[in-house]
Amino acid sequence: QVQLVQSGAEMKKPGSLVKVSCKSSGGAFNNHFINWVRQAPGRGLEWMGAILPFSGITKDAHNFGGRVSITTDESAGTVYMELRSLRRDDAAVYYCARDLRQSTFAYGFDQWGQGTLVTVSS
Amino acid sequence: EVVLTQSPGTLSLSPGERATLSCRASQSVNSNYLAWYQQKPGQAPRLLIYGTSNRATGVPDRFSGSGSGTDFTLTISRVEREDCAVFYCQQCSSAQVTFGQGTKLEIK
């Protein structure tokens, strides 16, 4: 059973960037899209983008004005999400989530990381 | 962008009652790309239903999904106390994923 393990909580200043990692404990991501979803305190879910690790194909959410980069280090079995020009309203729990079917985007996210809390404060 | 509107905002039911959660899309959605999630406090979301009506692994058969076009429904045939959570629908269209705002299910 694949488990997604994310990096720890981060505290950042407005205007800076944060980079969160997501590692597959069960080995490679096996041709599944890995998505990033965030949840501000007391709010709903917001999709940020996705990557298919073995190919590097990315899907970008239109809402973030190019502030998000999703990359992969397949040799390390790790996907990264970088969010730049942080604002106070970027404070949220950030999740990585694996797509259900290989090479199929957004069919359903069946495996989720534990979440990474990002705090933005001066 | 496809906007998903869920109703009701909050649903309060007694154990054994039937729960009907609605998800309405601002434009027609490919039913292959309509999913439902359950999220309990402090936990990551859990996939319940994918492709409108397919239960994910380990999901009890009291959960079912249906719908097409712009109207989709998650039904819990007989709610149990452990079903207390927020439920989200999700869709993908033109490589953009959106979620509904959620329905909170309270068990009396």
Side-chain angles (χ1 to χ4, degrees):
Chain A
Q1 174 87 345
V2 170
Q3 283 195 324
L4 303 180
V5 181
Q6 298 182 221
S7 50
E10 301 266 11
M11 185 172 291
K12 295 292 182 179
K13 295 188 184 304
S16 67
L17 67 84
V18 67
K19 191 168 185 176
V20 182
S21 68
C22 173
K23 184 174 174 63
S24 171
S25 69
F29 290 108
N30 291 330
N31 300 344
H32 292 259
F33 274 95
I34 300 298
N35 296 265
W36 288 90
V37 176
R38 74 177 182 180
Q39 187 169 37
R43 305 293 295 273
L45 303 170
E46 182 178 22
W47 178 75
M48 302 178 68
I51 190 166
L52 186 60
F54 85 100
S55 70
I57 292 172
T58 58
K59 307 285 187 183
D60 301 321
H62 295 161
N63 297 355
F64 289 87
R67 295 193 298 135
V68 176
S69 294
I70 299 173
T71 56
T72 184
D73 180 347
E74 260 227 291
S75 63
T78 303
V79 169
Y80 302 91
M81 185 284 299
E82 179 181 278
L83 180 60
R84 297 177 291 279
S85 301
L86 285 169
R87 308 186 293 240
R88 285 183 171 78
D89 63 359
D90 290 319
V93 175
Y94 288 75
Y95 295 102
C96 60
R98 191 190 77 160
D99 246 302
L100 175 65
R101 289 192 174 174
Q102 291 191 6
S103 301
T104 303
F105 174 59
Y107 206 72
F109 304 161
D110 68 331
Q111 297 289 336
W112 292 69
Q114 83 277 19
T116 296
L117 177 64
V118 175
T119 304
V120 183
S121 174
S122 54
Chain B
E1 173 180 291
V2 175
V3 176
L4 298 178
T5 301
Q6 293 186 238
S7 61
T10 302
L11 191 55
S12 185
L13 296 171
S14 298
E17 290 190 302
R18 183 183 188 88
T20 302
L21 287 68
S22 172
C23 176
R24 179 160 291 177
S26 59
Q27 56 190 273
S28 187
V29 168
N30 183 330
S31 60
N32 288 323
Y33 296 98
L34 193 289
W36 290 90
Y37 297 84
Q38 176 190 51
Q39 187 179 32
K40 297 183 178 181
Q43 296 184 16
R46 171 198 181 195
L47 179 66
L48 293 177
I49 300 286
Y50 63 93
T52 296
S53 59
N54 302 288
R55 275 188 298 276
T57 302
V59 175
D61 61 7
R62 65 178 183 275
F63 291 91
S64 63
S66 62
S68 65
T70 60
D71 289 303
F72 297 87
T73 300
L74 174 70
T75 301
I76 310 173
S77 58
R78 294 172 304 279
V79 299
E80 298 184 3
R81 293 203 178 278
E82 67 182 27
D83 298 335
C84 181
V86 179
F87 294 82
Y88 296 95
C89 56
Q90 174 207 36
Q91 71 81 41
C92 179
S93 177
S94 301
Q96 295 296 294
V97 174
T98 56
F99 291 90
Q101 83 281 14
T103 289
K104 183 176 183 180
L105 175 62
E106 296 178 341
I107 308 300
K108 295 177 185 175

